[in-house]
């Protein structure tokens, strides 16, 4: 079997592989000679890290899953100013967490090439918002590069490093879900082997200490660098013009939107020249000026905010170019969600005037299938127990402040145990506020990774301010939602090396939480006891609900070949329906009026067999 | 130049992404350009999942909804979810394995009637129903149901790849017993479909 990773390792210039853009970016980091790479896992950027954790070591690259994005960017920055090429990558909202250092890193500048990758998520396939991180390039005053496909993702990354080094600035490398998660053919390139493995930090207090007096001059230097970069953008091959037909219209586009535009042009044979932008801050002012002068009718196709459009309208105004510009500001394109060839064709047809037929709109009343907690997921058991405990204690107005992770799915029926979910760590942060402002009991649900990421400061805050909250840490020993990456609670790190495992209960005790309990959520009886006890407390309580993620357990079971499943004894089943109505494991379903368990889905956790779920003891191990 | 667009729809955990990758890799072996979309939703398993494979002169991974050549549905509800919003002449292969969404079982309800769903869509093409899980089990593992579906698609004739291309893609991915199971699954799938449509011609 030829493993992709081996191919990535051995691949020479001529090798062509079928890669996700994220995998191509990992390979690009290797080719660029990156020595330090950091991340906090977040979809749609996660596969960059998953790939690096397999190949980094062999190329002398140090790669880590950092505790959060702020630490990740600071780590990468220190590497860069010590003379090593470094890269940090994260999902769009991760850059919010890292934004504090990011702004100042632009001021100080970098030494060896440093690239900050942000993977945005238009249409919010796995995110809480669809903020357009291109604005960060303006906010920080840094160059920005946007690839459209896997080949560009790899090739542009190399150019990003060269630019960063030339101008001593971090470069923002922005992808979106449809780019990061697009798989296509990628021709590999040469791997740089001439760069040092170890860095040396040469001191200069005027350069790296952001005291107001230093920052005052650093800001001026930063603006000089950015002005110098304008010509660079105008001469870059990442910005190019493609001719189609007579070029009656001019279309300016970038990123994933470029692909949709091209698919529409090919399908309908449209008469339009394309200015494809890959280097989007600063914009190539001369190229754009020329393009809009030559076309007069110019259409700007970009996803989310009118980022390019506002700037292009400014360029037209500054150079007194008389052109009709179509975009979002005049209502032709939407400012929400990703574009598809269909939506782009629709908007273009209104401007250019050609006929598009819409696809049929589905009329079937199909049951929805949102993502659900896996069969055997320890979170289901924990939610089930908490719901019962709250009922037993007669606290129906209990507030559930939830957080980011698989357990966010607890918002759905029948658990309904997520009343708020805003950002990483916000469960405990908001619990502080609820405890101050209401007489309701408040439970904060937070996962282990999220706790390490940003749950500790608000826990300390609650202890310090003597608030009454119950924090339940759903500790499944991994960063599950993004694909089971390790976190500081585990016994190994990103490279698979052993590392000390940090116990959440130790952290809780050390910051002064008196009431700390550890439970196994599979044991409903003990869990109920612990939760009801904690609900009676009137200070900070922490329950660590510890049980391995079912996916990890499955992997182990498949290795050992011991696959246990459960079944329903129809003679004993009392048809109380509790297992489907209230526990709702996806392996349990109803057929011909009988409760059944799908053996292909059942994970053998055995929780449904406990008397708290099945009072008739009808669920047993399948023989 | 004709392009080939297919949508593979199913439920997380059914091997939807692997199926898409195998067909893509086979197309590469046939010397064609391919792009594929992978959307990883919130949780690992249990939600609707779909993958698009586009072969030929294409740029982005999203198929225009009136240009779909083949829908490979790994689960009936998910098949209809896609089928109802694309061109009515798209070819359809559907695995009969019913996976009840918890939104249904939670309300003490049963899986919707498939024949009724079929009668309600305005598809002009025949829906080939395949018992891929059972055939997969016959081949050695229910997990090879996705390759049974690929085999059926091969026999349908419209894929711009041939049996050898798929076999080579399987050889790249599996070894030993697993390879045998998957090749067997492909062959069992091929026997399921006899009426052959015209191959979509995609030039390299
Ligand atoms: S991946 Fe793990 S944590 Fe997430 S839903 Fe599945 S079992 Fe639960
Ligand atoms: S044992 Fe019961 S609860 Fe656990 S996975 Fe199987 S059916 Fe679901």
């Amino acid at each position: 079997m030829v493993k992709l990773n081996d191919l990535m390792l051995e691949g020479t210039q001529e090798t062509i592989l079928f890669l996700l853009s994220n995998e191509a970016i990992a390979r690009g980091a290797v080719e660029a000679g990156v020595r330090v790479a950091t991340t906090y896992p977040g979809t749609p950027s996660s596969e960059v890290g998953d790939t690096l954790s397999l190949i980094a070591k062999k190329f002398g690259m140090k790669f880590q899953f950092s505790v959060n994005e702020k630490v990740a960017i600071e780590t990468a920055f220190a590497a860069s100013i010590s003379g090593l090429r470094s890269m940090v990558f994260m999902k769009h909202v991760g850059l919010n967490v890292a934004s504090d250092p990011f702004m100042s890193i632009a001021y100080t500048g970098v030494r060896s090439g440093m690239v900050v990758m942000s993977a945005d998520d238009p249409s919010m396939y796995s995110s809480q918002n669809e903020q357009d991180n291109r604005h960060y390039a303006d906010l920080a005053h840094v160059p920005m590069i946007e690839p459209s496909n896997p080949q560009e993702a790899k090739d542009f990354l190399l150019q990003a490093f060269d630019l960063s080094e030339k101008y001593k600035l971090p470069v923002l490398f922005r992808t979106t879900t449809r780019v990061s998660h697009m798989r296509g053919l990628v021709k590999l390139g040469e791997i740089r082997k001439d760069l040092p493995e170890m860095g040396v930090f040469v001191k200069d207090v005027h350069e790296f200490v952001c005291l107001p007096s230093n920052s005052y001059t650093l800001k001026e230097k930063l603006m000089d660098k950015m002005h110098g970069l304008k010509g660079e953008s105008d001469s870059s091959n990442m910005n190019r013009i493609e001719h189609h037909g007579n070029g009656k219209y001019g279309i300016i586009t970038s990123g994933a939107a470029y692909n949709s535009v091209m698919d529409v042009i090919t399908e309908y044979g449209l008469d339009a020249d394309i200015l494809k932008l890959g280097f989007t801050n600063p914009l190539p002012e001369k190229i754009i000026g020329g393009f809009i002068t030559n076309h007069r009718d110019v259409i700007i196709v970009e996803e989310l905010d009118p980022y390019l459009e506002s700037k292009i309208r400014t360029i037209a105004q500054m150079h007194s170019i008389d052109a009709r510009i179509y975009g979002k500001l005049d209502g032709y394109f939407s400012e929400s969600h990703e574009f598809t060839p269909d939506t782009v064709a629709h908007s273009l047809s209104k401007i250019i005037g050609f006929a598009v037929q819409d696809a049929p709109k589905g009329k079937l009343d199909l049951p929805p299938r949102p993502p659900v907690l896996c069969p055997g997921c320890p979170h289901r058991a924990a939610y089930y127990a908490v719901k019962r405990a709250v009922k037993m204690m007669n606290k129906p107005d209990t507030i559930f402040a939830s957080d980011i992770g698989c357990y966010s799915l607890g918002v759905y029926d029948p658990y309904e145990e997520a009343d708020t979910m805003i950002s990483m760590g916000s469960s405990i942060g908001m619990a502080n506020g609820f405890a101050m402002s209401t007489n309701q009991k408040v439970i904060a649900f937070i996962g282990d990774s999220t706790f390490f990421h940003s749950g500790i400061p608000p826990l300390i805050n609650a202890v310090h301010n003597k608030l009454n909250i119950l924090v339940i840490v759903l500790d499944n020993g991994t960063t599950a939602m993004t694909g089971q990456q390790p976190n500081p609670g585990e016994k190994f790190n990103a490279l698979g090396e052993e590392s000390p495992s940090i116990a959440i209960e130790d952290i809780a005790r050390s910051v002064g939480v008196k009431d700390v309990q550890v439970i196994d959520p599979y044991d409903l009886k003990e869990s109920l006891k612990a939760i009801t006890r904690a609900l009676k407390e009137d200070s900070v309580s922490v329950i660590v609900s510890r049980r391995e993620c079912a996916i990890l357990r499955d992997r182990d079971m498949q290795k050992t070949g011991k696959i246990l499943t459960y079944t329903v004894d129809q003679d004993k089943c009392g048809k109380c329906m509790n297992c489907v109505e209230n526990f709702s494991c996806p392996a349990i379903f109803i057929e011909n009026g009988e409760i059944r368990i799908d053996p292909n889905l059942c994970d053998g956790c055995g929780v449904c067999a406990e008397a708290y779920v099945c009072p008739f003891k009808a669920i047993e191990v399948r023989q | 130049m004709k392009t080939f667009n297919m949508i593979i729809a199913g439920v997380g955990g059914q091997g939807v992404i692997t199926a898409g990758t195998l067909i893509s890799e086979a197309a590469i072996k046939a010397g064609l350009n391919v792009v594929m979309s992978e959307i990883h939703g919130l949780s690992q398993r249990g939600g609707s999942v779909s993958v698009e494979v586009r072969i030929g002169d294409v740029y982005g991974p999203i198929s225009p909804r009136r240009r779909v050549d083949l829908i490979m549905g790994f689960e009936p509800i998910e098949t209809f979810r896609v089928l109802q919003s694309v061109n009515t002449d798209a070819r359809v292969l559907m695995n009969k394995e019913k996976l009840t969404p918890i939104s249904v079982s939670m309300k003490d309800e049963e899986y919707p009637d498939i024949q009724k769903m079929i009668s309600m869509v305005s598809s002009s093409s025949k829906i080939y129903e395949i018992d891929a899980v059972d055939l997969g089990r016959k081949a050695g593992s229910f997990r090879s149901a996705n390759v049974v579906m690929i085999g059926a698609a091969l026999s349908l004739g419209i894929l711009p790849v041939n049996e050898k291309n798929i076999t080579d893609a399987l050889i790249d991915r599996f070894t030993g017993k697993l390879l045998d199971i998957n090749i067997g699954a492909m062959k069992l799938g091929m026997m399921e479909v006899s009426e052959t449509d015209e191959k979509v011609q995609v030039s390299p």
Side-chain angles (χ1 to χ4, degrees), chain A residues 32-48:
Chain A
V34 167
R35 291 288 171 254
V36 172
T38 60
T39 188
Y40 181 81
T43 313
S45 75
S46 311
E47 297 78 8
V48 182

Side-chain angles (χ1 to χ4, degrees), chain A residues 397 399 401 420 427-442 461 465-469:
Chain A
D397 59 353
I399 301 170
T420 61
S427 57
I428 308 182
M430 290 186 65
N432 275 269
F434 285 129
M436 282 174 78
S437 26
T438 72
N439 284 323
Q440 289 159 273
K441 185 72 200 177
V442 42
N461 195 65
N465 291 301
K466 297 189 284 184
L467 296 169
N468 170 10
I469 66 171

Side-chain angles (χ1 to χ4, degrees), chain A residues 412-430:
Chain A
Y412 293 121
D413 273 0
Y415 321 110
E416 296 178 308
E417 281 164 84
D419 296 318
T420 61
M421 197 271 270
I422 299 295
S423 62
M424 293 287 285
S426 66
S427 57
I428 308 182
M430 290 186 65

Side-chain angles (χ1 to χ4, degrees), chain A residues 21-30 32-40 45 48-49 52 61-64 66 72-77 79-80 84-90 112-118 153-154 157-158 160-161 171 173 175:
Chain A
S21 290
N22 280 348
E23 293 165 347
I25 287 167
R27 167 75 194 195
V30 167
V34 167
R35 291 288 171 254
V36 172
T38 60
T39 188
Y40 181 81
S45 75
V48 182
L52 284 183
M61 184 196 296
K62 295 183 179 112
F63 167 60
Q64 64 165 240
S66 309
I73 199 171
E74 288 158 349
T75 305
F77 173 57
S80 160
L84 300 179
R85 282 192 162 191
S86 70
M87 176 163 167
V88 54
F89 45 96
M90 56 197 80
S112 285
M114 173 172 174
V115 171
V116 179
M117 170 185 166
S118 161
K154 183 187 78 63
L157 184 68
L158 297 175
F161 275 102
V171 172
F173 194 77
T175 67

